[in-house]
Amino acid sequence: MSSLTPASEVILRHDEYFIGRRILIAGNLQDNISSEINAEILHILTNQYHYWLSFNKALGENAHYDLTLEKTVAAQCNILIYFWPKNKQEANFQLHNICSVLPIGSEIFIVGENRSGVNSVDKILKEIGCVRKIDAARRCSLYYCQLEKQPQFHLADWWNSYKVADITIKTLPGVFSQQALDAGSQLLLSTFQTPIKGKLLDMASGCGVLSTVIGKKNPNIKLTLCDTHAAAIRSSIETLKINGLTGHILPSDIYSTIEDSYDWIICNPPFHDGLKTDYTAAETIIKQAPNYLKPGGKFRMVANAFLPYPDWLDKAFGRHEILAQTGKFKIYQASKFR
């Protein structure tokens, strides 16, 4: 868990206001600000499994990893501190869900970096209450609103779907490739022209598009999909289901919940954490991949051509090959020989 972010430092400029209050912290929380707030009750809702692992150690059952907020938790709180994510649609989804179950009269504090789009919050919450900016520092803005009207929230209204050939992809806000198949994943899928078999692990599965396309072409393959993002987990579940496939889908902090060995590991790994460029997850996926492959198993990934993955692949596997490339992307493959 990182030191306090600029957004958290802005919140703590007002820490006296939160003393003895019943607080819910949600959104793109990336640090341990909860330990700095002297609340009567404090709950954290995160849709990122790797952050939940840290929160759970400190808060136990008051740390919640979920796509949506439970009414029983919302009823205990009268203040929301919301950390704005980089994805505006995800913020819209989360705020509407949370405000639909928070008690009327609850106070809402929304903070985020200015470059993240937080300054559009007044448009998102215009039907909920009057939003005003109350602070600005560290290139962040802090907004305040009192919940005057609970919005209607139905999960079914937030689904998007699109087609990849005859396959239907289901996605929720905040999930990578929400609107259409991205070019990197398309290039990776183009390298699976011949039948494959065995067990396949899809790391950072997102909406499940890679596993679904491969699974439809190879009906005997056994699929495991994992991601840290709760919306990605739900999207993968729905994508497999609507295409008549089955698989093991689970939240994981990279390989933290993976116990099996596989014939294939595939991934289109992230290299951002929020707004920051961060290669940590991709590096760990690569370096630990041999531990989760069977002898002869293959690791195949797509990456932007400028990223430093070839050196990591050579250190982990001894060597690698390039199966396909464009001006922007490369498909790397490495095999476990021992």
Side-chain angles (χ1 to χ4, degrees):
M1 188 66 65
S2 64
S3 58
L4 292 182
T5 64
S8 288
E9 291 176 352
V10 173
I11 287 291
L12 290 181
R13 287 156 62 99
H14 306 267
D15 61 339
E16 292 185 359
Y17 189 79
F18 304 119
I19 295 174
R21 308 298 294 274
R22 295 180 285 118
I23 295 172
L24 169 69
I25 301 178
N28 188 36
L29 177 60
Q30 297 180 313
D31 57 32
N32 61 351
I33 188 177
S34 59
S35 65
E36 304 290 332
I37 295 178
N38 187 17
E40 176 189 353
I41 297 173
L42 192 144
H43 289 269
I44 285 179
L45 172 67
T46 179
N47 59 17
Q48 298 288 346
Y49 185 77
H50 60 302
Y51 286 132
W52 174 81
L53 290 173
S54 295
F55 301 144
N56 182 249
K57 291 178 181 178
L59 296 174
E61 63 182 12
N62 281 16
H64 310 275
Y65 169 73
D66 211 337
L67 177 65
T68 55
L69 178 63
E70 293 183 4
K71 292 182 179 180
T72 54
V73 175
Q76 301 176 43
C77 304
N78 57 17
I79 286 182
L80 167 65
I81 300 174
Y82 182 80
F83 287 83
W84 189 271
K86 70 174 183 178
N87 186 292
K88 180 179 177 180
Q89 290 73 30
E90 183 175 18
N92 194 9
F93 173 90
Q94 292 174 345
L95 284 169
H96 274 78
N97 165 246
I98 293 169
C99 290
S100 73
V101 290
L102 275 181
I104 292 291
S106 294
E107 297 178 271
I108 302 170
F109 295 81
I110 300 137
V111 65
E113 294 186 42
N114 295 326
R115 61 180 177 144
S116 70
V118 67
N119 294 311
S120 63
V121 67
D122 55 335
K123 297 178 182 178
I124 288 179
L125 295 185
K126 63 182 179 181
E127 297 178 358
I128 294 171
C130 181
V131 180
R132 68 179 192 273
K133 182 184 286 190
I134 61 172
D135 200 359
R138 302 296 308 276
R139 299 180 180 177
C140 296
S141 295
L142 175 63
Y143 289 85
Y144 172 86
C145 175
Q146 189 167 36
L147 183 60
E148 300 172 1
K149 179 182 178 182
Q150 289 177 321
Q152 294 292 315
F153 180 87
H154 304 287
L155 183 61
D157 297 336
W158 295 87
W159 283 102
N160 180 59
S161 63
Y162 60 88
K163 289 282 191 177
V164 177
D166 60 343
I167 294 169
T168 300
I169 308 302
K170 300 282 287 183
T171 63
L172 286 168
V175 176
F176 184 65
S177 288
Q178 184 193 353
Q179 301 297 329
L181 180 64
D182 63 285
S185 293
Q186 187 173 8
L187 183 64
L188 178 58
L189 289 170
S190 73
T191 64
F192 285 94
Q193 296 297 323
T194 57
I196 62 173
K197 60 183 179 179
K199 295 191 295 184
L200 180 145
L201 173 61
D202 184 353
M203 291 294 301
S205 63
C207 59
V209 60
L210 297 177
S211 290
T212 302
V213 172
I214 292 171
K216 291 294 282 186
K217 293 182 177 180
N218 303 274
N220 293 322
I221 201 162
K222 295 181 179 179
L223 301 173
T224 298
L225 296 76
C226 69
D227 203 291
T228 188
H229 194 260
I233 295 295
R234 185 69 67 89
S235 297
S236 288
I237 290 171
E238 294 301 320
T239 296
L240 288 188
K241 180 180 178 181
I242 201 170
N243 290 287
L245 296 176
T246 59
H248 189 201
I249 303 171
L250 68 163
S252 188
D253 179 12
I254 310 181
Y255 296 103
S256 68
T257 59
I258 303 300
E259 299 177 349
D260 210 343
S261 295
Y262 297 87
D263 301 282
W264 292 88
I265 297 177
I266 61 170
C267 67
N268 184 352
F271 59 95
H272 290 95
D273 187 354
L275 293 168
K276 300 179 297 183
T277 298
D278 188 345
Y279 302 136
T280 304
E283 183 177 8
T284 304
I285 288 172
I286 292 169
K287 290 186 174 181
Q288 294 186 11
N291 299 331
Y292 298 91
L293 283 169
K294 297 178 181 180
K298 298 183 184 299
F299 176 83
R300 190 178 296 186
M301 69 180 298
V302 59
N304 290 73
F306 66 87
L307 294 173
Y309 297 166
D311 288 345
W312 298 341
L313 286 164
D314 289 343
K315 289 179 181 178
F317 290 92
R319 62 186 179 89
H320 73 279
E321 58 183 319
I322 298 173
L323 300 183
Q325 61 183 319
T326 64
K328 186 175 182 181
F329 298 104
K330 292 183 179 180
I331 307 300
Y332 299 109
Q333 180 169 286
S335 300
K336 180 176 180 178
F337 292 105
R338 59 184 187 276

